[in-house]
Amino acid sequence: FGYKYRTIDGLVLPPYVTPKRLAAAGSVITRANDICYCSFPKSGSTWLANVLYLMLHDGVEAEGDMPLRSNLHWMESSWTFPRTKAEVDAMPSPRIFKSHMPHGYALGGGPSKAPCRYIYIARNPKDVAVSYWHFESNQSWSGGYNGPWEHWLQLFVDGRVQRGSWFDHVLSWWQVKDAENMLFLKYEDLKRDFPSQLRRISNFTRHELSGEAFERVVNASSFQHMKQSRFANHGTMRGFEGFFRKGEVGSWKEQFTVAQSEAFDKLYKQRMAGSGLDFDFD
Ligand code: A3P
């Protein structure tokens, strides 16, 4: 089946991630008030981007599209700013960076090496696998995958989807969860009790929100609001439901067969054993 990717150090990546860009991202000299938010794809990164933007802007959306591709910068892609060290250095604080890389390729070197604040968001892997399948299917600008679900699930299990193994990715960041400049979030916690997770994020980033601004961020971060918001559901992607499909915990149940679910649970138990990390699946 068709699926476009590039391999670096054995890690499956989108073709637009080049060794040069990865090296540039790894060598960024970060500042203490920078924020780098990271995730495996389809784990709620657009949601988190929205929260971070609103937090820095008193809960008020900008007129145009959420500057996912300009203000919430990332260095791994070919089309976004910034790409050079000079561009990164010239950006005003607080800078926000995005990354879909495992911890070994963290922007600036990761929590133990860089002063920047890192926020990782993780989501249960069954929902991620389904969300990713829908996202990658039949669209040309990324993977352009055109195979069936059961084949995709096998790729996902084998770590042959873009960004590699979900297990390796999540566990790599989980290992550094206790660093003082690291916050580990779970999608399911945001779904269950968004205000308490927002408080964690604002305490961690030291961006205090007034009562009213706090309420504005809560309201503008709901799935329903983001899906219809010109700001959040950014322009070039409008009409493409990949970033706002269902927004639920447990939608994997509509896709996994019982046998697939049981086999996945077995693998999950093996890979997560002893890690202390667990997810809600419904
Ligand atoms: P689904 O495909 O399961 O609906 P990412 O932004 O990292 O690509 O993740 C996309 C997933 O996050 C999609 O999952 C999307 O619907 C979900 N999502 C986006 N905004 C959300 C929100 N405000 N609340 C809950 N889920 C949201």
Side-chain angles (χ1 to χ4, degrees), residues 42-47 123 131 187 191 221-223 226 243-247:
K42 313 322 291 171
S43 303
S45 58
T46 310
W47 193 6
R123 183 184 191 187
S131 179
Y187 177 96
K191 283 292 290 186
S221 300
S222 73
F223 180 79
M226 285 181 66
F243 290 100
F244 304 97
R245 193 183 58 94
K246 294 210 156 185

Side-chain angles (χ1 to χ4, degrees), residues 8-251:
I8 299 176
D9 301 343
L11 183 66
V12 176
L13 292 166
Y16 58 73
V17 179
T18 63
K20 202 171 151 200
R21 290 194 190 108
L22 271 190
S27 66
V28 168
I29 309 291
T30 68
R31 306 169 191 155
N33 59 0
D34 288 338
I35 299 171
C36 181
Y37 69 101
C38 315
S39 75
F40 192 85
K42 313 322 291 171
S43 303
S45 58
T46 310
W47 193 6
L48 182 56
N50 190 65
V51 169
L52 293 175
Y53 180 91
L54 292 172
M55 221 177 54
L56 298 181
H57 295 85
D58 221 22
V60 181
E61 295 180 340
E63 286 284 314
D65 301 333
M66 172 166 38
L68 244 190
R69 303 189 161 204
S70 50
N71 195 12
L72 302 182
H73 320 263
W74 65 332
M75 296 194 62
E76 290 156 16
S77 69
S78 51
W79 61 85
T80 54
F81 174 88
R83 276 174 279 158
T84 65
K85 187 173 183 310
E87 283 176 342
V88 176
D89 290 345
M91 283 159 60
S93 290
R95 302 178 300 184
I96 300 184
F97 298 101
K98 168 180 176 174
S99 171
H100 278 318
M101 295 304 290
H103 172 254
Y105 300 85
L107 181 126
S112 58
K113 298 199 182 113
C116 148
R117 290 179 182 274
Y118 292 89
I119 306 181
Y120 188 79
I121 185 161
R123 183 184 191 187
N124 85 68
K126 286 178 170 174
D127 281 335
V128 169
V130 173
S131 179
Y132 210 179
W133 180 56
H134 286 286
F135 185 78
E136 290 285 58
S137 288
N138 302 315
Q139 41 90 0
S140 57
W141 50 267
S142 185
Y145 181 70
N146 65 0
W149 159 249
E150 53 274 20
H151 181 258
W152 173 264
L153 180 59
Q154 195 57 51
L155 288 184
F156 186 86
V157 161
D158 294 342
R160 288 187 290 138
V161 297
Q162 291 182 3
R163 310 291 175 170
S165 156
W166 177 90
F167 295 100
D168 292 347
H169 203 288
V170 170
L171 291 171
S172 75
W173 282 97
W174 180 247
Q175 275 174 9
V176 292
K177 69 177 190 317
D178 294 327
E180 173 267 330
N181 56 339
M182 170 80 200
L183 180 66
F184 195 101
L185 301 172
K186 289 192 228 173
Y187 177 96
E188 293 77 15
D189 291 342
L190 267 74
K191 283 292 290 186
R192 193 176 42 247
D193 184 355
F194 184 82
S196 76
Q197 296 302 308
L198 176 57
R199 234 165 266 124
R200 280 183 79 203
I201 297 168
S202 90
N203 287 341
F204 175 71
T205 56
R206 300 190 185 136
H207 286 279
E208 292 303 318
L209 288 163
S210 72
E212 282 180 10
F214 190 91
E215 282 311 309
R216 280 197 292 272
V217 178
V218 171
N219 294 333
S221 300
S222 73
F223 180 79
Q224 288 71 16
H225 178 89
M226 285 181 66
K227 191 178 170 80
Q228 56 74 46
S229 154
R230 174 174 167 71
F231 170 75
N233 200 347
H234 42 107
T236 51
M237 298 289 167
R238 209 181 308 282
F240 166 63
E241 67 166 16
F243 290 100
F244 304 97
R245 193 183 58 94
K246 294 210 156 185
E248 286 167 7
V249 181
S251 79

